[in-house]
């Protein structure tokens, strides 16, 4: 857009050079590699993959490097690349019950089959800056987290215990094998199915979903959640090629799953029971999946015959505004030239002000004339 400005094309080319220099920083400092970002900034990589809807750690790390650490810009880059890729087939549903677990906790039951697996977490750190990490010569004494560090023991889902007693609503599994809606290729539709809402939330902005989830905890939606289970680990991905007719493994991915237990509902015809909220995302992303689970439950207000009073319950509000790439684009387009629009409004404003000033001047003359007439009348009367 700035090409229209005198010298704009040359300025844009120089802007590219300035951006490259800013990205590189001090050349005396070793350049950050893709492998370093992938291995040492895994939580940022997970967020970029999830909100870009593309599982590829190397590409996500590349996008983070190219964007100078701006995660929303990195998400935009990865989404743009995703549009160039063909969609070959849909995978089978991922079986999280057979996850190779690296972390698994429950806030609703202390003793669960398979046990609580604390794993790697910031939950119990003191949130004090560790200046030893600034020592360049420091070498890590810990071994990398591998599959040997994970538990292969079968860990049934915690909510299955409540389900066995009929104390929680059963999972809603669609009949047959419907073709999944692809939000990356088709526009969002309302009213949205729960599957479509979850897909939208999975690629929604973590900060926005966090704020909405927090709002429900503060009373905007009367939604009191319990973290039924949060698990993180590796799951296998399977497809069924037409030429084979049976499932084959094509790899494994890291995912985080969260199942929320929410306030119960009931009626004269149905016994009260707990309700569900669900979240799932690429990589290690507990905060994101927890927020997803809380917002998912809030968005089920209409389905559960609840009064819709809060933003987190409003489907169109939540799903449209959760997309950080769209939001960022719409906001940042304000940086582009709006000369014609602004000059039109400026001209209109000047015209309105001139009309007001003219009217005020005319009113002043009239009032002055009235005062003079009154004075003359007064003298004659005297």
């Amino acid at each position: 857009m700035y090409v229209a400005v005198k010298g704009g094309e040359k300025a844009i080319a120089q802007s590219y050079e300035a951006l490259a220099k800013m990205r590189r920083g001090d050349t005396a400092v070793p350049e950050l590699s893709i492998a370093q970002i992938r291995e040492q900034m895994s939580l940022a990589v997970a967020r970029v993959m999830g909100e870009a809807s593309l599982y590829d750690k190397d590409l996500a790390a590349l996008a983070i490097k190219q964007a100078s650490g701006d995660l929303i810009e990195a998400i935009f880059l990865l989404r743009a690349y995703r549009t160039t890729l063909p969609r070959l087939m849909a995978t089978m549903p991922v079986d999280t019950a057979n996850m190779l677990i690296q972390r698994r906790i429950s806030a609703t039951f202390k003793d669960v089959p398979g046990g609580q697996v604390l794993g790697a977490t910031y939950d119990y750190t003191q949130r004090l800056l560790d200046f030893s990490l600034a020592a360049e010569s420091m070498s890590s004494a810990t071994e990398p987290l591998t599959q040997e560090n994970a538990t292969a023991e079968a860990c049934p889902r915690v909510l299955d215990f409540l389900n066995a007693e009929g104390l929680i609503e059963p999972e809603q599994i669609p009949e047959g094998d419907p073709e999944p809606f692809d939000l990356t290729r088709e526009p969002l539709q309302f009213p949205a199915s729960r599957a479509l809402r979850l897909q939208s939330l999975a690629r929604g902005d973590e900060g926005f979903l966090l704020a909405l989830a927090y709002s429900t905890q503060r009373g905007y939606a009367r939604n009191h959640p319990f973290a039924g289970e949060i698990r993180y680990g590796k799951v296998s991905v399977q497809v069924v090629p037409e030429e084979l007719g049976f499932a084959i493994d094509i790899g494994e991915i890291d995912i985080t799953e969260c199942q929320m237990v929410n306030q119960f509902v009931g009626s004269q015809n149905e016994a009260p029971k707990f309700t569900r909220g669900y979240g799932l995302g690429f990589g290690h992303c507990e905060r994101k999946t927890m927020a997803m689970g809380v917002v998912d439950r809030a968005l089920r207000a209409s389905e559960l015959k609840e009064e819709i009073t809060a933003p987190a319950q409003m489907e169109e509000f939540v799903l449209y505004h959760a997309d950080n790439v769209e939001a960022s684009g719409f906001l940042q387009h304000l940086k582009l030239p709006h000369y014609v629009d602004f000059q039109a409004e400026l001209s209109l404003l000047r015209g309105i002000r001139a009309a007001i000033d003219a009217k005020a001047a005319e009113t002043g003359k009239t009032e002055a004339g009235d005062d003079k007439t009154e004075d003359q009348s007064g003298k004659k009367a005297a």
Side-chain angles (χ1 to χ4, degrees):
M1 293 292 291
Y2 279 100
V3 174
V5 182
K6 184 177 180 181
E9 190 169 359
K10 183 178 179 181
I12 289 173
Q14 292 176 341
S15 174
Y16 289 159
E17 295 179 11
L19 178 61
K21 291 178 181 178
M22 182 192 73
R23 180 189 301 119
R24 178 60 181 87
D26 188 350
T27 55
V29 178
E31 185 173 0
L32 197 61
S33 70
I34 302 301
Q36 287 174 314
I37 298 174
R38 183 192 65 229
E39 298 300 323
Q40 300 175 39
M41 301 183 69
S42 59
L43 300 184
V45 168
R47 178 177 177 181
V48 171
M49 291 192 303
E51 296 180 21
S53 300
L54 179 62
Y55 189 94
D56 190 308
K57 293 182 179 180
D58 286 321
L59 290 180
L62 172 61
I64 292 172
K65 179 176 180 178
Q66 183 176 337
S68 303
D70 183 338
L71 296 190
I72 294 182
E73 181 69 19
I75 292 163
F76 197 166
L77 290 169
L78 201 56
R79 279 198 194 182
Y81 176 75
R82 189 191 191 282
T83 63
T84 68
L85 303 177
R87 176 175 173 175
L88 302 177
M89 63 181 70
T91 70
M92 296 181 65
V94 172
D95 185 5
T96 56
N98 291 321
M99 179 185 293
L100 185 64
I101 289 177
Q102 294 185 357
R103 174 166 159 78
R104 184 250 196 156
I105 59 170
S106 171
T108 52
F109 294 98
K110 181 178 68 173
D111 300 313
V112 290
Q116 307 256 12
V117 182
L118 195 59
T121 178
Y122 283 102
D123 291 348
Y124 304 100
T125 59
Q126 292 182 306
R127 267 75 177 201
L128 300 174
L129 282 176
D130 184 358
F131 290 99
S132 66
L133 297 176
E136 295 182 6
S137 61
M138 179 183 177
S139 60
S140 176
T142 59
E143 296 181 359
L145 197 63
T146 62
Q147 293 192 5
E148 286 73 23
N149 302 109
T151 175
E153 182 179 350
C155 294
R157 296 187 183 90
V158 171
L159 268 62
D160 289 346
F161 307 136
L162 295 174
N163 198 43
E165 294 185 58
L167 296 177
I168 193 168
E169 58 176 346
E171 288 192 66
Q172 300 174 356
I173 303 175
E175 297 181 1
D177 186 17
E179 182 73 13
F181 188 93
D182 189 349
L183 192 56
T184 67
R185 296 172 182 266
E186 302 174 58
L188 191 60
Q189 299 176 0
F190 295 105
S193 65
R194 189 182 181 202
L196 178 55
R197 291 201 304 264
L198 286 171
Q199 187 179 155
S200 181
L201 294 177
R203 59 194 256 117
D205 182 74
E206 179 179 323
F208 181 73
L209 297 183
L210 177 63
L212 287 175
Y214 179 47
S215 73
T216 71
Q217 291 180 276
R218 295 192 62 250
Y220 291 89
R222 295 172 50 236
N223 185 10
H224 188 271
F226 296 92
E229 182 179 14
I230 301 168
R231 54 172 63 191
Y232 160 68
K234 296 183 180 296
V235 293
S236 62
V237 179
Q238 296 182 325
V239 297
V240 181
E242 292 183 5
E243 61 271 23
L244 296 180
F246 56 84
I248 60 171
D249 282 354
I250 60 172
E252 61 182 13
I253 60 174
D254 299 326
I255 63 170
T256 303
E257 180 185 49
C258 173
Q259 298 205 52
M260 286 288 182
V261 180
N262 296 78
Q263 64 187 28
F264 55 82
V265 295
S267 65
Q268 294 180 344
N269 303 320
E270 188 175 0
K273 60 184 64 176
F274 288 115
T275 53
R276 298 173 182 264
Y278 186 76
L280 185 140
F282 290 151
H284 199 174
C285 54
E286 293 178 22
R287 184 172 54 227
K288 170 67 176 288
T289 54
M290 290 179 72
M292 271 186 69
V294 174
V295 176
D296 168 49
R297 171 58 182 81
L299 288 174
R300 299 181 61 204
S302 178
E303 168 196 340
L304 298 172
K305 306 295 189 296
E306 296 174 342
E307 184 182 4
I308 297 177
T309 59
Q313 298 171 298
M314 300 173 184
E315 180 180 80
E316 194 270 354
F317 177 86
V318 172
L319 301 187
Y320 264 143
H321 298 111
D323 193 317
N324 54 25
V325 171
E326 279 201 28
S328 176
F330 203 73
L331 176 70
Q332 294 201 80
H333 98 282
L334 297 175
K335 294 186 290 186
L336 298 177
H338 287 71
Y339 308 128
V340 175
D341 292 343
F342 180 74
Q343 290 300 322
E345 292 204 12
L346 183 60
S347 177
L348 177 62
L349 178 60
R350 284 171 173 163
I352 295 173
R353 292 288 296 269
I356 292 174
D357 292 342
K359 186 176 181 180
E362 183 179 347
T363 303
K365 288 180 180 179
T366 302
E367 291 177 351
D370 292 342
D371 292 342
K372 187 176 181 180
T373 301
E374 289 177 2
D375 291 343
Q376 291 175 348
S377 299
K379 288 178 181 179
K380 290 179 180 180

